[in-house]
Amino acid sequence: MGLIPGVAQATGPATPGVSAPPPEGAPDAAPDADADEAGAAESGTFRTPGEKTVRTALPSGNAKGGSAQASADASNLELYMWGDARTARSVSVGVNLYQGAPVPHEVTIAWGDGTTHTTTVTGGQIIYDVRHTFPRPGEYTITVTAKDTVNNVQAVNHLPFTTPGSFFAPHAPTRLLDTRAGIGSAKGKVGAYTPVRLKIAGNAQVPAGATAVVLNVTATNPTAGGHVSVYPSGRDRPKTSNVNYTAGQTVPNQVIVPVGKDGYIELYNGGWNAVDLIADVTGYFDRAAPDGYTSLNPVRFVDTREGLGTARGQVAGQGAFGVQITGRNGIPAGATAVALNVTVTNPKQAGHLTVYPSGQAAPSTSSLNFTPGQTVANSVIVPVGPDGKINVRNGAWAGTDVIVDVVGYYGAGSKAAFATWRLGQPAEGGPFRHIDTRGLPPNSWPCLAGGYYALHLNSGNRYDLPIEAHVTNLTVTTTTGAGHLSVAPDPNSAHAYQHGYAVKPPRPTTSALNWTAGKDVSNLVQAKPGPHGVIDMWNQSSREVHYIVDWFGEYDAY
């Protein structure tokens, strides 16, 4: 067992109120009147300049013998406001009562969702770090009202705020890209070291406001090895990968990727030669979407080798079976989609598997592809049918065993919103490489046979609140034998590992990806952390392996 070095220690949040240390990006005592609200939003901080303050007289009488309106006209009180995004649905607000009279002011913050916060502060002071979590993602107008009853003046200013997070909307599996047929792009393979642009927002009933998309991306017909990186249009290509392939392989992997401001994403072929690419949409994230996410400890729903969840025995060629999802293992009747890890093992012929909602015909899309004798897994997010079931179809002409592990579900009763924004990154976020254990000695630390790494992912959650799940792309590389990787929550804290009092967690019985000797294998994993934010990655093989962890986002329940 090894612990990833450099684990960040949790720190408690600052106490809201007056006279706390200023947060990053807060205006000082002489704020910049020319602050650019739109530009500030790109860093996760939203601003409103003081010139937008509207001062009116209070209806309570005159001040110092003059009219109430004269007092208001003579007042120099300005409200400089900023909102700092903290989690997928929360904000930290600051207000500078600039040039206000040195008397008590009653300040009310109306959040725009029907709730308010009220405090009293002396004019000329600054209110720091007033926190609020919105009931759901969206665009809100935060209104601050400061009342000076001594001078009969009321000042009002508004701060538009957009949450970084979005909820999920399931989408019937639909093919958006197939370079073999000219669907979504020009017909023909994607050239070596070349991207292809794919329209997402406004395509196939994905709305214009979609912030991220769930795709099953498949590389096929390669004549040499390579990888595929998927990322938002208009952003620099990240140092991450989503699909790894070798000559002659057909390899799928699920991708959750932010949508660029122009509504497009890019799929980059990092191989030596051209390759065909396929992309099937199964859902998207949008601030107007209905469903949040609830993570589960990975639980096995189906294993045809044992007769778990369906009839015992291989699924016949061109055959299908249904899986009851709702009403099992805590998944409620209202769940609209489910997050799975689907594994094929012992297939007799090459083929593909399609996972789709019950109550409809099997679509012309695929969830994973396999060759004879191969054990291969792929992450799948699929809508749940009206009867609470999904269907699994074997597209091969011969039988195969199928395993289905459930890692979470989406529904109106779930509160976790998906966000790709991180501290220090632009608001639209994007993937980044978290660890690569192949570093040069002495920083090369493979996971030993049968061992595990305890990993604490540093995220964009700036309150250090519990994360519902991390969205990662895990790659196993430099393999010398067959095996599988399991990912599970760890009950220990990072502090426990660093100081030697952690207890060994139980070995998981589910799998996240499978590999054979000499193959680099990737799979998207929606990893539920333990109560202290630690995730375990188990090497369930008899040989050491190296891990690559690419971070693509997180679900915040707050």
Side-chain angles (χ1 to χ4, degrees):
M1 197 289 290
L3 176 67
I4 304 301
V7 173
Q9 295 301 299
T11 55
T15 302
V18 183
S19 300
E24 179 182 332
D28 56 22
D32 181 6
D34 298 323
D36 183 352
E37 300 142 89
E42 291 300 307
S43 63
T45 298
F46 298 74
R47 300 175 184 271
T48 293
E51 302 82 60
K52 293 191 175 183
T53 303
V54 175
R55 292 181 296 272
T56 58
L58 288 171
S60 56
N62 299 333
K64 297 181 180 179
S67 70
Q69 186 59 51
S71 296
D73 292 341
S75 173
N76 292 319
L77 175 61
E78 293 184 345
L79 303 179
Y80 289 80
M81 300 167 55
W82 66 95
D84 193 11
R86 292 288 179 162
T87 67
R89 293 186 290 118
S90 70
V91 64
S92 169
V93 165
V95 184
N96 188 339
L97 279 69
Y98 187 60
Q99 294 186 351
V103 297
H105 289 62
E106 181 183 283
V107 179
T108 300
I109 303 174
W111 298 108
D113 60 5
T115 63
T116 60
H117 171 86
T118 301
T119 188
T120 300
V121 58
T122 301
Q125 289 192 348
I126 300 175
I127 303 172
Y128 289 118
D129 196 20
V130 182
R131 303 175 183 181
H132 181 70
T133 298
F134 294 99
R136 55 162 296 116
E139 298 179 356
Y140 296 90
T141 298
I142 302 170
T143 301
V144 174
T145 302
K147 294 181 179 179
D148 174 359
T149 57
V150 174
N151 295 293
N152 294 344
V153 177
Q154 174 177 278
V156 179
N157 206 346
H158 305 278
L159 175 69
F161 178 78
T162 302
T163 63
S166 301
F167 273 173
F168 177 76
H171 192 291
T174 305
R175 184 142 293 173
L176 298 187
L177 174 69
D178 190 339
T179 60
R180 303 169 302 177
I183 298 173
S185 71
K187 185 176 181 179
K189 289 184 174 183
V190 181
Y193 307 111
T194 301
V196 59
R197 283 168 48 82
L198 177 61
K199 181 176 176 61
I200 299 296
N203 186 15
Q205 298 184 334
V206 178
T211 58
V213 64
V214 180
L215 300 170
N216 195 62
V217 175
T218 304
T220 189
N221 302 322
T223 58
H227 69 273
V228 179
S229 295
V230 187
Y231 54 97
S233 173
R235 297 287 306 278
D236 293 337
R237 178 168 55 88
K239 296 178 181 179
T240 56
S241 63
N242 300 91
V243 181
N244 295 79
Y245 59 83
T246 58
Q249 273 192 316
T250 296
V251 184
N253 196 15
Q254 184 169 257
V255 173
I256 300 178
V257 61
V259 178
K261 291 182 179 179
D262 60 359
Y264 283 76
I265 64 170
E266 298 192 16
L267 299 91
Y268 175 84
N269 173 24
W272 290 98
N273 293 337
V275 66
D276 279 309
L277 296 179
I278 303 166
D280 301 325
V281 60
T282 62
Y284 60 87
F285 293 88
D286 183 88
R287 292 183 180 92
D291 298 329
Y293 181 69
T294 297
S295 62
L296 300 173
N297 292 337
V299 57
R300 184 144 292 174
F301 267 50
V302 172
D303 191 337
T304 61
R305 301 169 302 179
E306 303 174 1
L308 174 65
T310 188
R312 184 175 182 178
Q314 291 198 329
V315 184
Q318 305 297 303
F321 65 92
V323 182
Q324 183 67 44
I325 295 296
T326 61
R328 297 177 62 188
N329 296 295
I331 301 181
T336 59
V338 63
L340 313 169
N341 197 69
V342 180
T343 304
V344 163
T345 189
N346 306 318
K348 290 185 167 54
Q349 291 184 2
H352 67 276
L353 212 66
T354 300
V355 185
Y356 58 101
S358 65
Q360 67 179 52
S364 58
T365 58
S366 61
S367 302
L368 61 85
N369 300 74
F370 51 86
T371 56
Q374 185 182 25
T375 298
V376 60
N378 197 30
S379 180
V380 175
I381 295 176
V382 61
V384 176
D387 58 357
K389 294 183 178 181
I390 62 171
N391 290 333
V392 181
R393 180 179 183 272
N394 175 17
W397 292 104
T400 185
D401 281 305
V402 176
I403 302 166
V404 178
D405 297 327
V406 176
V407 300
Y409 64 89
Y410 301 86
S414 300
K415 296 182 179 180
F418 177 69
T420 61
W421 171 83
R422 287 175 52 85
L423 176 62
Q425 288 192 333
E428 67 268 23
F432 75 98
R433 179 144 293 174
H434 187 80
I435 62 168
D436 185 341
T437 65
R438 301 170 300 174
L440 295 175
N443 297 315
S444 178
W445 14 279
C447 188
L448 301 179
Y452 71 98
Y453 274 132
L455 177 66
H456 189 283
L457 285 169
N458 298 321
S459 73
N461 182 321
R462 295 162 78 181
Y463 287 153
D464 205 26
L465 294 170
I467 304 297
E468 185 73 16
H470 289 281
V471 178
T472 63
N473 196 71
L474 301 185
T475 302
V476 172
T477 186
T478 63
T479 57
T480 58
H484 69 275
L485 171 69
S486 298
V487 179
D490 189 307
N492 299 291
S493 66
H495 187 273
Y497 278 110
Q498 290 176 332
H499 292 83
Y501 63 92
V503 297
K504 186 175 182 178
R507 183 179 295 274
T509 58
T510 56
S511 62
L513 61 84
N514 300 72
W515 68 84
T516 55
K519 301 294 185 182
D520 294 345
V521 181
S522 298
N523 198 12
L524 183 136
V525 177
Q526 300 201 145
K528 176 183 175 66
H532 306 287
V534 179
I535 297 165
D536 291 333
M537 300 185 298
W538 288 82
N539 172 15
Q540 307 272 35
S541 76
S542 60
R543 307 285 183 87
E544 68 178 30
V545 294
H546 280 282
Y547 294 149
I548 302 170
V549 180
D550 294 331
W551 187 92
F552 281 82
E554 71 187 31
Y555 294 94
D556 288 340
Y558 298 93

